[in-house]
Coordinates of all heavy atoms in Angstrom, one line a residue:
M7 N -112.9 30.4 -25.7 CA -114.1 30.4 -26.6 C -114.7 31.8 -26.5 O -114.9 32.4 -25.5 CB -115.1 29.4 -26.2 CG -114.7 28.0 -26.3 SD -116.1 27.0 -26.0 CE -115.4 25.4 -26.4
G8 N -114.9 32.4 -27.7 CA -115.5 33.7 -27.7 C -117.0 33.7 -27.8 O -117.6 32.6 -27.7
A9 N -117.6 34.8 -27.9 CA -119.0 34.9 -28.0 C -119.4 34.2 -29.3 O -118.8 34.4 -30.3 CB -119.5 36.3 -28.0
S10 N -120.4 33.4 -29.2 CA -120.8 32.6 -30.4 C -121.6 33.4 -31.4 O -122.2 34.4 -31.1 CB -121.7 31.4 -29.9 OG -122.9 31.8 -29.5
Q11 N -121.6 32.9 -32.6 CA -122.3 33.5 -33.7 C -123.8 33.1 -33.7 O -124.6 33.8 -34.1 CB -121.7 33.2 -35.0 CG -120.3 33.8 -35.1 CD -119.5 33.3 -36.4 OE1 -120.1 32.4 -37.1 NE2 -118.3 33.7 -36.6
G12 N -124.0 31.9 -33.2 CA -125.4 31.3 -33.3 C -126.2 31.6 -32.1 O -127.4 31.3 -32.1
Y13 N -125.7 32.1 -31.1 CA -126.4 32.3 -29.8 C -126.0 33.6 -29.2 O -124.8 33.9 -29.1 CB -126.2 31.2 -28.8 CG -126.8 31.5 -27.5 CD1 -128.2 31.4 -27.4 CD2 -126.1 31.8 -26.4 CE1 -128.8 31.6 -26.1 CE2 -126.7 32.1 -25.2 CZ -128.0 32.0 -25.1 OH -128.6 32.2 -23.9
N14 N -126.9 34.5 -28.9 CA -126.6 35.7 -28.2 C -126.8 35.6 -26.7 O -127.9 35.6 -26.3 CB -127.5 36.9 -28.8 CG -127.1 37.2 -30.2 OD1 -126.0 37.2 -30.6 ND2 -128.2 37.5 -31.0
A15 N -125.7 35.4 -26.0 CA -125.8 35.3 -24.6 C -126.3 36.5 -23.9 O -126.2 37.6 -24.5 CB -124.4 34.9 -24.0
N16 N -126.9 36.3 -22.8 CA -127.4 37.4 -22.0 C -126.2 38.4 -21.8 O -125.2 37.9 -21.4 CB -127.9 36.8 -20.7 CG -128.4 37.8 -19.7 OD1 -127.8 38.9 -19.6 ND2 -129.4 37.4 -19.0
L17 N -126.4 39.6 -22.0 CA -125.3 40.6 -21.9 C -124.8 40.6 -20.4 O -123.6 40.8 -20.2 CB -125.7 42.0 -22.3 CG -126.0 42.2 -23.8 CD1 -126.5 43.6 -24.1 CD2 -124.7 41.9 -24.6
E18 N -125.6 40.4 -19.5 CA -125.2 40.3 -18.1 C -124.3 39.1 -17.9 O -123.3 39.2 -17.1 CB -126.4 40.2 -17.1 CG -127.2 41.5 -17.0 CD -128.3 41.4 -16.1 OE1 -128.2 40.7 -15.0 OE2 -129.4 42.0 -16.3
A19 N -124.5 38.0 -18.6 CA -123.7 36.8 -18.4 C -122.3 37.0 -19.2 O -121.3 36.3 -18.8 CB -124.4 35.6 -19.0
L20 N -122.3 37.8 -20.2 CA -121.0 38.0 -20.9 C -120.0 38.7 -20.1 O -118.8 38.4 -20.2 CB -121.3 38.9 -22.2 CG -121.9 38.1 -23.3 CD1 -122.2 39.1 -24.5 CD2 -120.9 37.1 -23.9
R21 N -120.4 39.6 -19.2 CA -119.4 40.3 -18.3 C -118.6 39.3 -17.5 O -117.4 39.3 -17.5 CB -120.1 41.3 -17.4 CG -119.1 42.1 -16.6 CD -119.9 43.1 -15.7 NE -119.0 43.7 -14.7 CZ -118.6 43.0 -13.6 NH1 -119.0 41.8 -13.3 NH2 -117.8 43.6 -12.7
P22 N -119.2 38.4 -16.6 CA -118.4 37.5 -15.8 C -117.7 36.5 -16.7 O -116.6 36.1 -16.3 CB -119.4 36.8 -14.9 CG -120.8 37.1 -15.5 CD -120.6 38.4 -16.3
Y23 N -118.3 36.1 -17.8 CA -117.6 35.2 -18.7 C -116.3 35.8 -19.2 O -115.2 35.2 -19.3 CB -118.5 34.8 -19.9 CG -117.8 33.9 -20.9 CD1 -117.4 32.6 -20.6 CD2 -117.5 34.4 -22.1 CE1 -116.7 31.8 -21.5 CE2 -116.8 33.6 -23.1 CZ -116.4 32.3 -22.7 OH -115.7 31.6 -23.6
S24 N -116.4 37.1 -19.7 CA -115.2 37.8 -20.2 C -114.1 37.9 -19.1 O -112.9 37.7 -19.3 CB -115.5 39.1 -20.7 OG -116.4 39.0 -21.8
I25 N -114.5 38.2 -17.9 CA -113.6 38.2 -16.7 C -113.0 36.9 -16.5 O -111.7 36.8 -16.3 CB -114.3 38.8 -15.5 CG1 -114.7 40.2 -15.7 CG2 -113.4 38.6 -14.3 CD1 -115.6 40.7 -14.6
A26 N -113.8 35.8 -16.6 CA -113.2 34.5 -16.4 C -112.2 34.1 -17.4 O -111.1 33.5 -17.1 CB -114.4 33.4 -16.5
V27 N -112.4 34.5 -18.7 CA -111.4 34.2 -19.7 C -110.1 34.9 -19.4 O -109.0 34.3 -19.6 CB -112.0 34.6 -21.1 CG1 -110.9 34.5 -22.2 CG2 -113.2 33.7 -21.5
T28 N -110.2 36.1 -19.0 CA -109.0 36.9 -18.6 C -108.3 36.3 -17.4 O -107.1 36.1 -17.4 CB -109.4 38.4 -18.3 OG1 -110.0 38.9 -19.5 CG2 -108.2 39.2 -18.0
E29 N -109.1 35.9 -16.4 CA -108.5 35.3 -15.2 C -107.8 34.0 -15.6 O -106.7 33.7 -15.1 CB -109.6 34.9 -14.2 CG -110.1 36.1 -13.4 CD -109.1 36.7 -12.5 OE1 -108.5 35.9 -11.7 OE2 -108.9 37.9 -12.5
K30 N -108.4 33.2 -16.4 CA -107.8 31.9 -16.8 C -106.5 32.1 -17.6 O -105.5 31.5 -17.3 CB -108.8 31.1 -17.7 CG -108.3 29.7 -18.1 CD -109.4 28.9 -18.8 CE -108.9 27.5 -19.1 NZ -108.3 27.3 -20.3
A31 N -106.5 33.1 -18.5 CA -105.3 33.4 -19.3 C -104.2 33.9 -18.4 O -103.0 33.7 -18.7 CB -105.7 34.4 -20.4
S32 N -104.5 34.6 -17.3 CA -103.5 35.2 -16.5 C -103.1 34.3 -15.3 O -102.3 34.7 -14.4 CB -103.9 36.6 -16.0 OG -105.0 36.4 -15.1
G33 N -103.6 33.1 -15.3 CA -103.3 32.1 -14.2 C -104.2 32.3 -13.0 O -103.9 31.7 -11.9
G34 N -105.2 33.1 -13.0 CA -106.1 33.3 -11.9 C -107.2 32.2 -11.9 O -107.1 31.3 -12.7
D35 N -108.1 32.4 -11.0 CA -109.2 31.4 -10.8 C -110.5 31.9 -11.6 O -111.1 32.7 -11.1 CB -109.5 31.1 -9.4 CG -110.5 30.0 -9.1 OD1 -110.9 29.3 -10.1 OD2 -111.0 29.9 -8.0
P36 N -110.8 31.2 -12.7 CA -112.0 31.7 -13.4 C -113.3 31.1 -12.9 O -114.4 31.5 -13.3 CB -111.7 31.2 -14.8 CG -110.9 29.9 -14.6 CD -110.0 30.2 -13.4
V37 N -113.2 30.1 -12.0 CA -114.4 29.3 -11.7 C -115.5 30.2 -11.1 O -116.7 30.1 -11.5 CB -114.1 28.2 -10.7 CG1 -115.3 27.5 -10.1 CG2 -113.2 27.2 -11.5
P38 N -115.3 31.1 -10.1 CA -116.4 31.9 -9.6 C -117.1 32.7 -10.7 O -118.3 32.9 -10.7 CB -115.8 32.8 -8.6 CG -114.5 32.2 -8.3 CD -114.0 31.4 -9.5
F39 N -116.3 33.2 -11.7 CA -116.9 34.1 -12.7 C -117.7 33.2 -13.7 O -118.7 33.6 -14.2 CB -115.8 34.8 -13.5 CG -115.1 35.8 -12.5 CD1 -113.8 35.4 -12.1 CD2 -115.7 36.9 -12.1 CE1 -113.1 36.3 -11.2 CE2 -115.0 37.8 -11.2 CZ -113.7 37.4 -10.8
L40 N -117.2 32.0 -14.0 CA -117.9 31.1 -14.9 C -119.2 30.6 -14.2 O -120.3 30.5 -14.9 CB -117.0 29.9 -15.2 CG -115.8 30.2 -16.0 CD1 -114.8 29.0 -16.0 CD2 -116.2 30.6 -17.4
K41 N -119.2 30.3 -12.9 CA -120.4 30.0 -12.2 C -121.4 31.1 -12.3 O -122.6 30.9 -12.4 CB -120.1 29.5 -10.8 CG -119.4 28.2 -10.7 CD -119.2 27.8 -9.3 CE -118.6 26.4 -9.1 NZ -118.4 26.0 -7.7
E42 N -120.9 32.3 -12.1 CA -121.8 33.5 -12.2 C -122.4 33.6 -13.6 O -123.6 33.9 -13.7 CB -121.1 34.8 -11.8 CG -121.9 36.0 -11.9 CD -121.2 37.3 -11.5 OE1 -120.0 37.2 -11.1 OE2 -121.8 38.3 -11.7
A43 N -121.6 33.4 -14.6 CA -122.1 33.5 -16.0 C -123.2 32.5 -16.3 O -124.3 32.8 -16.8 CB -121.0 33.3 -17.0
V44 N -123.1 31.2 -15.8 CA -124.1 30.2 -16.1 C -125.3 30.4 -15.2 O -126.4 30.1 -15.6 CB -123.6 28.8 -16.0 CG1 -122.5 28.5 -17.1 CG2 -123.0 28.4 -14.6
A45 N -125.1 31.0 -14.0 CA -126.3 31.3 -13.2 C -127.1 32.4 -13.8 O -128.4 32.4 -13.7 CB -125.8 31.8 -11.8
L46 N -126.5 33.3 -14.5 CA -127.2 34.4 -15.2 C -127.8 34.0 -16.5 O -128.8 34.5 -17.0 CB -126.3 35.6 -15.5 CG -125.8 36.4 -14.2 CD1 -124.7 37.3 -14.6 CD2 -127.0 37.1 -13.6
D47 N -127.2 33.0 -17.1 CA -127.8 32.5 -18.4 C -127.5 31.0 -18.6 O -126.4 30.6 -18.9 CB -127.1 33.2 -19.6 CG -127.8 32.9 -20.9 OD1 -128.5 31.9 -21.0 OD2 -127.5 33.7 -21.9
H48 N -128.5 30.2 -18.2 CA -128.3 28.7 -18.2 C -128.1 28.1 -19.6 O -127.7 27.0 -19.8 CB -129.5 28.0 -17.6 CG -129.7 28.4 -16.2 ND1 -128.9 28.1 -15.1 CD2 -130.7 29.2 -15.6 CE1 -129.3 28.6 -14.0 NE2 -130.4 29.3 -14.2
S49 N -128.4 28.9 -20.7 CA -128.2 28.5 -22.0 C -127.0 28.9 -22.7 O -126.8 28.7 -23.9 CB -129.4 29.0 -22.9 OG -130.6 28.5 -22.3
F50 N -126.0 29.4 -22.0 CA -124.8 30.0 -22.5 C -123.7 28.8 -22.4 O -123.2 28.5 -21.4 CB -124.4 31.2 -21.7 CG -123.2 32.0 -22.2 CD1 -122.7 31.8 -23.4 CD2 -122.7 33.0 -21.3 CE1 -121.6 32.6 -23.8 CE2 -121.6 33.8 -21.8 CZ -121.1 33.6 -23.0
A51 N -123.5 28.2 -23.5 CA -122.6 27.0 -23.6 C -121.2 27.2 -23.2 O -120.5 26.4 -22.6 CB -122.7 26.3 -25.0
A52 N -120.6 28.3 -23.7 CA -119.2 28.6 -23.5 C -118.7 28.5 -22.1 O -117.7 27.9 -21.8 CB -118.8 29.9 -24.2
P53 N -119.4 29.1 -21.1 CA -118.9 29.0 -19.7 C -118.9 27.6 -19.2 O -117.9 27.2 -18.5 CB -119.8 29.9 -18.9 CG -120.5 30.8 -19.9 CD -120.5 30.0 -21.2
Y54 N -119.8 26.8 -19.6 CA -119.8 25.4 -19.2 C -118.6 24.6 -19.8 O -118.0 23.8 -19.1 CB -121.1 24.7 -19.7 CG -122.3 25.0 -19.0 CD1 -123.3 25.8 -19.6 CD2 -122.5 24.6 -17.6 CE1 -124.5 26.1 -18.9 CE2 -123.7 25.0 -17.0 CZ -124.7 25.7 -17.6 OH -125.8 26.0 -16.9
A55 N -118.3 24.9 -21.1 CA -117.1 24.3 -21.7 C -115.8 24.7 -21.0 O -114.9 23.9 -20.8 CB -117.1 24.7 -23.2
V56 N -115.7 26.0 -20.7 CA -114.5 26.4 -20.0 C -114.4 25.8 -18.6 O -113.3 25.4 -18.1 CB -114.4 28.0 -20.0 CG1 -113.2 28.4 -19.2 CG2 -114.3 28.5 -21.4
L57 N -115.5 25.8 -17.9 CA -115.6 25.1 -16.6 C -115.1 23.7 -16.7 O -114.3 23.2 -15.8 CB -117.0 25.1 -16.0 CG -117.4 26.2 -15.1 CD1 -118.9 26.2 -14.8 CD2 -116.6 26.2 -13.8
A58 N -115.6 23.0 -17.7 CA -115.2 21.6 -17.9 C -113.7 21.5 -18.0 O -113.1 20.6 -17.4 CB -115.9 21.0 -19.1
N59 N -113.1 22.3 -18.8 CA -111.7 22.3 -19.0 C -110.9 22.6 -17.7 O -110.0 21.9 -17.4 CB -111.3 23.4 -20.1 CG -109.8 23.4 -20.3 OD1 -109.1 24.2 -19.7 ND2 -109.4 22.7 -21.3
V60 N -111.3 23.6 -17.0 CA -110.7 23.9 -15.7 C -110.8 22.7 -14.7 O -109.8 22.3 -14.1 CB -111.3 25.2 -15.1 CG1 -110.8 25.4 -13.7 CG2 -111.0 26.4 -16.0
Y61 N -112.0 22.2 -14.6 CA -112.2 21.1 -13.7 C -111.4 19.8 -14.1 O -110.8 19.2 -13.3 CB -113.7 20.7 -13.6 CG -114.6 21.6 -12.9 CD1 -115.9 21.8 -13.3 CD2 -114.1 22.4 -11.8 CE1 -116.8 22.6 -12.6 CE2 -115.0 23.2 -11.1 CZ -116.3 23.3 -11.5 OH -117.2 24.2 -10.9
Y62 N -111.3 19.6 -15.4 CA -110.6 18.4 -15.9 C -109.1 18.5 -15.5 O -108.5 17.6 -15.0 CB -110.7 18.3 -17.4 CG -110.1 17.1 -18.0 CD1 -110.7 15.9 -17.9 CD2 -108.8 17.2 -18.6 CE1 -110.1 14.8 -18.5 CE2 -108.2 16.1 -19.1 CZ -108.8 14.9 -19.1 OH -108.2 13.7 -19.6
W63 N -108.5 19.7 -15.7 CA -107.1 19.9 -15.4 C -106.8 19.9 -13.9 O -105.7 19.7 -13.5 CB -106.5 21.1 -16.1 CG -106.4 20.8 -17.6 CD1 -107.2 21.2 -18.6 CD2 -105.6 19.8 -18.2 NE1 -106.9 20.7 -19.8 CE2 -105.9 19.8 -19.6 CE3 -104.6 19.0 -17.7 CZ2 -105.2 19.0 -20.5 CZ3 -103.9 18.2 -18.6 CH2 -104.2 18.2 -20.0
R64 N -107.9 20.1 -13.1 CA -107.7 20.1 -11.7 C -108.0 18.7 -11.1 O -107.9 18.5 -9.9 CB -108.7 21.1 -11.0 CG -108.3 22.5 -11.2 CD -109.2 23.5 -10.5 NE -108.8 24.9 -10.8 CZ -109.5 25.9 -10.3 NH1 -110.6 25.7 -9.6 NH2 -109.1 27.1 -10.6
G65 N -108.3 17.8 -12.0 CA -108.5 16.4 -11.6 C -109.9 16.2 -11.0 O -110.2 15.2 -10.3
M66 N -110.8 17.1 -11.3 CA -112.2 17.0 -10.8 C -113.1 16.4 -11.9 O -113.9 17.1 -12.6 CB -112.7 18.4 -10.4 CG -111.8 19.0 -9.3 SD -112.1 20.8 -9.0 CE -113.8 20.7 -8.4
E67 N -112.9 15.1 -12.1 CA -113.6 14.4 -13.3 C -115.1 14.5 -13.3 O -115.7 14.8 -14.3 CB -113.1 13.0 -13.4 CG -111.7 12.8 -13.9 CD -110.8 12.4 -12.7 OE1 -111.2 12.1 -11.6 OE2 -109.5 12.4 -12.9
L68 N -115.7 14.3 -12.2 CA -117.2 14.3 -12.1 C -117.7 15.7 -12.5 O -118.6 15.9 -13.3 CB -117.7 13.9 -10.7 CG -119.2 13.9 -10.6 CD1 -119.9 13.0 -11.6 CD2 -119.6 13.6 -9.2
E69 N -117.1 16.8 -11.9 CA -117.5 18.1 -12.2 C -117.3 18.5 -13.7 O -118.1 19.1 -14.4 CB -116.8 19.1 -11.3 CG -117.2 19.1 -9.9 CD -116.4 18.0 -9.1 OE1 -115.7 17.2 -9.7 OE2 -116.5 18.0 -7.8
A70 N -116.1 18.0 -14.2 CA -115.8 18.2 -15.6 C -116.8 17.5 -16.5 O -117.3 18.1 -17.5 CB -114.4 17.7 -16.0
E71 N -117.2 16.3 -16.2 CA -118.2 15.6 -17.0 C -119.5 16.3 -17.0 O -120.2 16.4 -18.0 CB -118.4 14.2 -16.5 CG -117.3 13.2 -16.9 CD -117.5 11.8 -16.5 OE1 -118.7 11.4 -16.5 OE2 -116.6 11.0 -16.3
E72 N -119.9 16.8 -15.8 CA -121.2 17.5 -15.7 C -121.2 18.7 -16.6 O -122.2 19.0 -17.3 CB -121.5 17.8 -14.3 CG -121.9 16.6 -13.4 CD -122.0 16.9 -12.0 OE1 -121.8 18.0 -11.5 OE2 -122.4 15.9 -11.2
A73 N -120.1 19.5 -16.5 CA -120.0 20.8 -17.2 C -120.0 20.6 -18.7 O -120.7 21.3 -19.5 CB -118.8 21.6 -16.7
I74 N -119.2 19.6 -19.2 CA -119.0 19.4 -20.6 C -120.3 18.8 -21.2 O -120.7 19.0 -22.3 CB -117.8 18.6 -21.0 CG1 -117.4 18.9 -22.5 CG2 -117.9 17.2 -20.7 CD1 -117.2 20.3 -22.9
T75 N -121.0 18.0 -20.4 CA -122.3 17.4 -20.8 C -123.3 18.5 -21.0 O -124.0 18.5 -22.0 CB -122.8 16.3 -19.8 OG1 -121.8 15.3 -19.8 CG2 -124.1 15.8 -20.3
K76 N -123.3 19.5 -20.1 CA -124.2 20.6 -20.3 C -123.9 21.4 -21.6 O -124.7 21.8 -22.4 CB -124.2 21.5 -19.1 CG -125.1 22.7 -19.1 CD -126.6 22.2 -19.1 CE -127.5 23.5 -19.0 NZ -128.9 23.1 -19.2
A77 N -122.6 21.7 -21.8 CA -122.1 22.4 -23.0 C -122.5 21.6 -24.2 O -123.0 22.1 -25.2 CB -120.6 22.7 -22.9
F78 N -122.3 20.3 -24.2 CA -122.6 19.4 -25.3 C -124.1 19.5 -25.6 O -124.5 19.5 -26.8 CB -122.2 18.0 -24.9 CG -122.3 17.0 -26.1 CD1 -121.3 16.9 -27.0 CD2 -123.3 16.1 -26.2 CE1 -121.3 16.0 -28.1 CE2 -123.4 15.2 -27.2 CZ -122.4 15.2 -28.2
D79 N -124.9 19.5 -24.6 CA -126.4 19.6 -24.8 C -126.8 20.9 -25.5 O -127.8 21.0 -26.1 CB -127.1 19.4 -23.5 CG -127.0 18.0 -22.9 OD1 -126.7 17.1 -23.7 OD2 -127.3 17.8 -21.7
L80 N -126.0 21.9 -25.3 CA -126.3 23.3 -25.8 C -125.5 23.5 -27.1 O -125.6 24.6 -27.6 CB -125.9 24.3 -24.8 CG -126.7 24.3 -23.5 CD1 -126.1 25.2 -22.4 CD2 -128.2 24.7 -23.7
R81 N -124.8 22.6 -27.6 CA -123.9 22.8 -28.7 C -124.5 23.3 -30.0 O -123.9 23.9 -30.9 CB -123.0 21.6 -29.0 CG -123.7 20.4 -29.7 CD -122.9 19.2 -29.7 NE -123.5 18.1 -30.4 CZ -124.5 17.3 -29.9 NH1 -124.9 17.5 -28.6 NH2 -125.0 16.3 -30.6
T82 N -125.8 23.0 -30.2 CA -126.5 23.5 -31.4 C -126.7 25.0 -31.5 O -127.0 25.5 -32.5 CB -127.8 22.8 -31.6 OG1 -128.7 23.1 -30.5 CG2 -127.6 21.3 -31.8
S83 N -126.5 25.7 -30.4 CA -126.7 27.1 -30.3 C -125.4 27.9 -30.4 O -125.4 29.1 -30.2 CB -127.4 27.5 -29.0 OG -126.6 27.2 -27.9
V84 N -124.3 27.3 -30.8 CA -123.0 28.0 -30.9 C -122.5 27.9 -32.3 O -123.0 27.3 -33.2 CB -122.0 27.4 -29.9 CG1 -122.5 27.4 -28.5 CG2 -121.7 25.9 -30.2
S85 N -121.4 28.7 -32.5 CA -120.8 28.7 -33.8 C -120.2 27.3 -34.1 O -120.0 26.4 -33.2 CB -119.7 29.7 -33.8 OG -118.6 29.3 -33.0
V86 N -119.8 27.1 -35.4 CA -119.3 25.8 -35.8 C -118.0 25.5 -35.0 O -117.8 24.4 -34.6 CB -119.0 25.8 -37.3 CG1 -118.3 24.5 -37.7 CG2 -120.4 25.9 -38.1
L87 N -117.1 26.5 -34.9 CA -115.9 26.3 -34.2 C -116.1 25.9 -32.7 O -115.5 25.0 -32.2 CB -115.0 27.6 -34.3 CG -113.7 27.5 -33.5 CD1 -112.8 26.4 -34.0 CD2 -112.9 28.9 -33.7
E88 N -117.0 26.6 -32.1 CA -117.3 26.3 -30.7 C -117.9 24.9 -30.6 O -117.5 24.2 -29.7 CB -118.2 27.3 -30.1 CG -117.6 28.7 -29.8 CD -118.6 29.7 -29.2 OE1 -119.6 29.8 -29.9 OE2 -118.3 30.3 -28.2
R89 N -118.8 24.6 -31.5 CA -119.4 23.2 -31.5 C -118.3 22.1 -31.6 O -118.3 21.2 -30.9 CB -120.4 23.1 -32.6 CG -121.2 21.8 -32.5 CD -122.4 21.7 -33.4 NE -122.1 22.1 -34.8 CZ -122.6 23.2 -35.3 NH1 -123.4 24.0 -34.6 NH2 -122.4 23.5 -36.6
L90 N -117.4 22.3 -32.5 CA -116.3 21.4 -32.7 C -115.4 21.2 -31.4 O -115.0 20.1 -31.0 CB -115.4 21.7 -33.9 CG -116.1 21.6 -35.3 CD1 -115.2 22.1 -36.4 CD2 -116.5 20.1 -35.5
M91 N -115.1 22.4 -30.8 CA -114.4 22.4 -29.6 C -115.1 21.7 -28.5 O -114.5 20.9 -27.7 CB -114.0 23.8 -29.2 CG -113.0 24.4 -30.2 SD -112.7 26.2 -29.9 CE -112.0 26.2 -28.3
I92 N -116.4 21.9 -28.3 CA -117.2 21.3 -27.3 C -117.3 19.8 -27.6 O -117.1 19.0 -26.6 CB -118.6 21.9 -27.2 CG1 -118.5 23.3 -26.6 CG2 -119.6 21.1 -26.4 CD1 -119.8 24.2 -26.8
E93 N -117.5 19.4 -28.8 CA -117.6 18.0 -29.1 C -116.3 17.2 -28.8 O -116.3 16.1 -28.3 CB -118.1 17.8 -30.6 CG -119.5 18.2 -30.8 CD -120.0 18.2 -32.2 OE1 -119.1 18.0 -33.1 OE2 -121.2 18.4 -32.4
A94 N -115.2 17.9 -29.2 CA -113.9 17.3 -28.9 C -113.7 17.1 -27.4 O -113.2 16.0 -27.0 CB -112.8 18.1 -29.5
A95 N -114.0 18.1 -26.7 CA -113.8 18.1 -25.2 C -114.7 17.0 -24.6 O -114.4 16.3 -23.7 CB -114.1 19.4 -24.6
Y96 N -116.0 16.9 -25.1 CA -116.9 15.9 -24.6 C -116.4 14.5 -24.8 O -116.4 13.7 -23.9 CB -118.3 16.1 -25.3 CG -119.3 15.1 -24.9 CD1 -120.0 15.3 -23.7 CD2 -119.5 13.9 -25.6 CE1 -121.0 14.3 -23.3 CE2 -120.4 13.0 -25.2 CZ -121.1 13.2 -24.1 OH -122.1 12.2 -23.7
H97 N -115.9 14.3 -26.0 CA -115.4 12.9 -26.3 C -114.1 12.6 -25.5 O -113.9 11.5 -25.1 CB -115.2 12.7 -27.8 CG -116.5 12.7 -28.5 ND1 -117.4 11.7 -28.3 CD2 -117.1 13.5 -29.4 CE1 -118.5 11.9 -29.0 NE2 -118.3 13.0 -29.7
K98 N -113.3 13.6 -25.2 CA -112.1 13.4 -24.4 C -112.5 13.2 -23.0 O -112.0 12.2 -22.4 CB -111.2 14.7 -24.5 CG -110.1 14.7 -23.5 CD -109.1 13.6 -23.6 CE -108.0 13.7 -22.6 NZ -107.4 12.5 -22.3
I99 N -113.3 14.0 -22.4 CA -113.7 13.9 -21.0 C -114.6 12.8 -20.7 O -114.4 12.0 -19.7 CB -114.2 15.3 -20.5 CG1 -113.1 16.3 -20.6 CG2 -114.8 15.2 -19.1 CD1 -113.6 17.8 -20.3
V100 N -115.7 12.7 -21.5 CA -116.7 11.7 -21.1 C -116.5 10.4 -21.8 O -116.4 9.4 -21.1 CB -118.1 12.3 -21.6 CG1 -119.2 11.2 -21.3 CG2 -118.4 13.6 -20.8
T101 N -116.3 10.3 -23.1 CA -116.2 9.1 -23.8 C -114.9 8.4 -23.6 O -114.9 7.2 -23.1 CB -116.4 9.3 -25.3 OG1 -117.6 10.0 -25.5 CG2 -116.5 8.0 -26.1
Q102 N -113.8 9.1 -23.8 CA -112.5 8.4 -23.7 C -112.2 8.1 -22.3 O -111.6 7.0 -22.0 CB -111.4 9.4 -24.3 CG -110.0 8.7 -24.3 CD -109.0 9.6 -24.9 OE1 -109.3 10.7 -25.4 NE2 -107.7 9.2 -24.9
D103 N -112.5 9.0 -21.4 CA -112.2 8.7 -20.0 C -113.0 7.6 -19.4 O -112.5 6.8 -18.6 CB -112.4 10.0 -19.1 CG -111.2 10.9 -19.3 OD1 -110.2 10.7 -20.0 OD2 -111.3 12.0 -18.6
A104 N -114.2 7.4 -19.9 CA -115.1 6.3 -19.5 C -114.5 5.0 -20.0 O -114.5 4.0 -19.2 CB -116.5 6.4 -20.0
V105 N -113.9 4.9 -21.2 CA -113.3 3.8 -21.7 C -112.0 3.4 -20.9 O -111.8 2.3 -20.5 CB -112.9 3.9 -23.2 CG1 -112.0 2.8 -23.7 CG2 -114.2 4.0 -24.0
Q106 N -111.2 4.5 -20.5 CA -110.0 4.2 -19.8 C -110.4 3.7 -18.3 O -109.7 2.9 -17.8 CB -109.2 5.5 -19.7 CG -108.5 5.8 -21.0 CD -107.8 7.2 -21.0 OE1 -107.9 7.9 -20.0 NE2 -107.0 7.4 -22.0
R107 N -111.4 4.3 -17.7 CA -111.8 3.8 -16.4 C -112.3 2.4 -16.4 O -112.2 1.7 -15.4 CB -112.9 4.7 -15.8 CG -112.4 6.1 -15.4 CD -113.4 6.8 -14.5 NE -114.6 7.1 -15.3 CZ -114.8 8.2 -16.0 NH1 -113.9 9.2 -16.0 NH2 -116.0 8.4 -16.6
S108 N -112.8 1.9 -17.5 CA -113.4 0.6 -17.6 C -112.3 -0.5 -17.8 O -112.5 -1.7 -17.6 CB -114.4 0.4 -18.7 OG -113.8 0.5 -19.9
R109 N -111.1 -0.1 -18.0 CA -110.0 -1.0 -18.3 C -109.4 -1.5 -16.9 O -109.3 -0.9 -16.0 CB -108.9 -0.4 -19.1 CG -109.3 -0.2 -20.5 CD -108.2 0.4 -21.3 NE -108.7 0.6 -22.7 CZ -108.1 1.3 -23.6 NH1 -106.9 1.8 -23.3 NH2 -108.6 1.5 -24.8

């Protein structure tokens, strides 16, 4: 997810977020950088969404749910594309997984 059109993230938070995206793409660990980004700007939805994705694929369901729920709560401050991606991830991680766990 790139910088959103609807929300201008704190410039200090963009630096670790950008590093995290690069780390994730190269197979590194983006989590410390994503945590730094959200610590610097609690209203920056994109790092929460990426954290959710990383946690989900690591099998850390509770952490993934918490992160994507935070991104979902902030979704009105992002671009349309980011909002759609966050909503899809939310329904995959929170809604669909909750249904599967109840079976």
